[in-house]
Amino acid sequence: MITAEVCEDAGVWDEMVLDLGGHPLQLWGWGVLKSAHNWQARRVLFRENEMTVGAAQILFRPLPGPFKRLSYVPRGPVYQDGKGGEVYETLVAYVKLHLPGTVLTVEPDSDAAPEAEGFQESKNTILIPRTLILDLSKTEDELLEAMTKKTRQYIRKSGREGVTLKQVTSHDAISKCLEIYHETAARANFALHGDEYYYDVHEKLGDASVVFAAYEGEQLLSFVWLAVSGKTAFELYGGMNDRGQELRANYALKWHAIATCKRWGIARYDMNGLLNDGVSTFKQGFASHEDMLAGTFDYPLSPLYSVWSVALPKAKAVARKIKSLK
């Protein structure tokens, strides 16, 4: 029988997540980050015969009035092969008892739906399931061969233009990246957190926060920001200024990030979502395939779930409308 046990030791937690091949959004630091920005985190180990067979970092936040609470497991839970069904069942039982509310939402880091009765597919997606995941066990030649001809050409072009590529860690370098991110957001019309959130990402994730940047001389051109675990590199943010666009710096930079993660022994590189936009077209140039993860699944915890699941999309639509009028 599998039992649930709260973990309060960051080192033990991360060791278990890494041993189970977990996603970086299941690392302790991601929970610390979200706890500083309107969520709380609970880390639960699933144990059988004194062995850890699974883990789930549960993020939760209050909902208005009788709705009580939303619980959410991003890119999890993680578990040993063959233990998925029991882990999901134990997760549900734990949340019902200790985090009662309206819904438990999970977004697995695989193409497999939750192996437990009661979960239902949800359209209230948080992380986009359609994505592009590179298999870094392939050789560099194989990865390059899968790219479009144009992508390979632009990688070479930015190299010839004298673009330099490196990992950055300092507060000043992150500040410069955020300046470019603001430019990118204004150009592409998407909303950002306050800058303090991104500084917290870099601080709270620690070594799991990896930022690569492209320069012309001392001028920053573009950046790509990853969260990494032993198995997965996951793109969080990226941006480029006008000069970077001229030099196609983002092509060489992304290839540098991919190749570096491969050298570090990371197994997969996840580009974190594909839509029908220019950024997605750029991503698609780096492979000849797409991936479709399982998506978003809800386990209703209350009779009020049906009301909440209808109200949430409407609230999101109103928020988008307000934003478009600003």
Side-chain angles (χ1 to χ4, degrees):
M1 177 181 177
I2 291 180
T3 59
E5 177 183 309
V6 173
C7 179
E8 297 182 348
D9 185 306
V12 170
W13 178 261
D14 281 349
E15 182 180 355
M16 292 297 101
V17 170
L18 295 175
D19 283 350
L20 291 165
H23 193 277
L25 300 192
Q26 284 292 298
L27 292 174
W28 186 278
W30 190 256
V32 175
L33 165 72
K34 303 310 285 188
S35 295
H37 297 274
N38 303 318
W39 293 82
Q40 297 179 66
R42 183 81 52 85
R43 292 94 174 177
V44 180
L45 297 174
F46 301 102
R47 308 269 292 169
E48 184 178 46
N49 299 326
E50 299 185 358
M51 293 184 60
T52 298
V53 298
Q57 176 162 251
I58 307 166
L59 305 178
F60 58 97
R61 64 191 305 174
L63 295 176
F67 294 103
K68 291 185 180 178
R69 182 185 290 111
L70 160 69
S71 295
Y72 170 52
V73 182
R75 291 294 180 256
V78 297
Y79 46 82
Q80 289 181 356
D81 289 344
K83 298 297 182 181
E86 294 172 272
V87 165
Y88 272 109
E89 289 171 0
T90 309
L91 169 64
V92 168
Y94 179 87
V95 171
K96 283 181 175 179
L97 181 61
H98 297 284
L99 297 170
T102 296
V103 62
L104 165 64
T105 296
V106 299
E107 292 186 321
D109 187 29
S110 73
D111 59 4
E115 301 174 45
E117 293 184 2
F119 281 95
Q120 58 191 60
E121 194 166 2
S122 172
K123 294 182 179 179
N124 295 324
T125 298
I126 300 171
L127 296 170
I128 300 169
R130 179 184 169 220
T131 187
L132 199 162
I133 302 174
L134 299 179
D135 176 1
L136 299 187
S137 70
K138 294 182 177 180
T139 67
E140 289 193 6
D141 286 344
E142 288 171 330
L143 291 168
L144 285 164
E145 181 62 29
M147 298 178 191
T148 64
K149 181 179 179 180
K150 182 180 76 171
T151 296
R152 291 194 298 270
Q153 288 175 338
Y154 285 158
I155 289 172
R156 292 193 292 269
K157 170 183 169 61
S158 51
R160 290 194 302 268
E161 296 289 348
V163 173
T164 57
L165 310 165
K166 61 183 179 181
Q167 185 179 350
V168 298
T169 59
S170 71
H171 187 278
D172 182 63
I174 299 302
S175 176
K176 298 295 184 185
C177 290
L178 292 178
E179 289 177 11
I180 285 184
Y181 202 29
H182 281 283
E183 291 180 37
T184 303
R187 188 167 58 240
N189 191 32
F190 61 84
L192 297 180
H193 296 283
D195 284 359
E196 194 59 36
Y197 179 86
Y198 302 103
Y199 290 124
D200 281 350
V201 171
H202 199 52
E203 176 192 346
K204 308 301 186 189
L205 278 179
D207 291 342
S209 171
V210 176
V211 185
F212 295 107
Y215 288 84
E216 182 183 37
E218 297 297 317
Q219 181 187 2
L220 179 65
L221 303 172
S222 64
F223 75 95
V224 61
W225 193 329
L226 313 174
V228 302
S229 63
K231 180 179 178 181
T232 300
F234 184 69
E235 289 189 352
L236 294 174
Y237 322 112
M240 178 173 55
N241 60 21
D242 291 341
R243 180 58 176 164
Q245 285 186 315
E246 292 175 18
L247 298 177
R248 309 293 185 181
N250 54 335
Y251 285 87
L253 180 61
K254 188 180 287 289
W255 172 236
H256 176 74
I258 293 166
T260 301
C261 289
K262 174 178 171 57
R263 288 196 296 275
W264 288 348
I266 295 171
R268 58 206 285 264
Y269 187 102
D270 186 344
M271 297 194 190
N272 186 12
L274 295 174
L275 297 169
N276 296 310
D277 61 358
V279 173
S280 297
T281 300
F282 164 66
K283 293 177 180 179
Q284 289 167 317
F286 283 81
S288 55
H289 73 280
E290 292 182 8
D291 297 273
M292 182 63 75
L293 299 179
T296 305
F297 288 83
D298 287 349
Y299 189 99
L301 299 171
S302 162
L304 293 173
Y305 169 76
S306 58
V307 178
W308 178 86
S309 63
V310 171
L312 181 60
K314 291 181 178 179
K316 288 182 176 179
V318 170
R320 286 194 297 269
K321 180 65 175 178
I322 292 172
K323 178 179 178 295
S324 70
L325 295 174
K326 290 182 178 179

